Amino acid sequence: ELEVALKVVIVGNGGVGKSSMIQRYCKGIFTKDYKKTIGVDFLERQIEVDGEEVRLMLWDTAGQEEFDAITKAYYRGAQACVLAFSTTDRDSFEAAHSWKLKVENECGEIPTVIVQNKIDLVDQTVVNPEEAELLARALGCRLLRTSVKEDINVASVFRHLAARCLAE
Ligand code: GDP
Ligand code: MG
């Protein structure tokens, strides 16, 4: 039987929860002070979508995003993208547009989900819901709100991307 393998890149400013999201989804764990370098290029998880086995390879950065130094190798062959910002970090929200352009430059148009992470920190919100919706609409992407900490909506992000890729 044919197995579909998808390379997924996770972009966004440092500190928004990208590495945590990968750990949560692939290993089922959440740690507060998670090491920046995981020492491997990606973690993977296999899921079933519409009766098809899909192997998702979630590529992590080793913190290069903070220096705007993500390599071409990171993006090479990516078929889907998670573009994340944090509920508590205004800069990360403002940067979303330029992250979208960067991915487009390297990968062309690939299925992308905008993720607003850390929704458990509602009392520290610096991005209102309407702004987030407007951003997603402007970028032509689906918006999903997640808490990696509380494990809210994380699986939906990847299910949605896998389904989008299979439909193409
Ligand atoms: P990255 O730089 O984008 O890879 O972000 P990290 O995964 O290293 O996460 C940065 C910090 O945010 C860590 O202390 C995480 O524990 C924390 N964090 C990640 N996701 C969440 C979340 O959903 N809620 C809360 N409260 N903290 C989170
Ligand atoms: Mg990281």
Side-chain angles (χ1 to χ4, degrees), residues 1 12 17 34-35 54 69 76 98 102 115 124 131 155 157 164:
E1 194 182 309
Y34 162 77
K35 285 253 157 49
V54 180
R76 192 168 301 130
S98 72
K102 250 171 246 182
V115 167
Q124 297 171 44
E131 293 178 294
V157 171
R164 282 277 312 280

Side-chain angles (χ1 to χ4, degrees), residues 137-150:
R137 212 171 309 153
L139 299 183
C141 300
R142 173 86 176 272
L143 170 72
L144 288 173
R145 297 188 169 87
T146 65
S147 168
V148 169
K149 184 179 182 191
E150 309 289 348

Side-chain angles (χ1 to χ4, degrees), residues 12-21 30-34 36 60-61 65-66 117-121 146-150:
N13 282 10
V16 301
K18 301 181 299 298
S19 298
S20 301
M21 177 170 286
F30 178 79
T31 50
K32 197 114 202 341
D33 26 44
Y34 162 77
K36 281 237 148 122
D60 199 7
T61 68
E65 70 276 19
E66 294 188 42
N117 188 36
K118 307 198 189 184
I119 56 162
D120 55 289
L121 301 175
T146 65
S147 168
V148 169
K149 184 179 182 191
E150 309 289 348

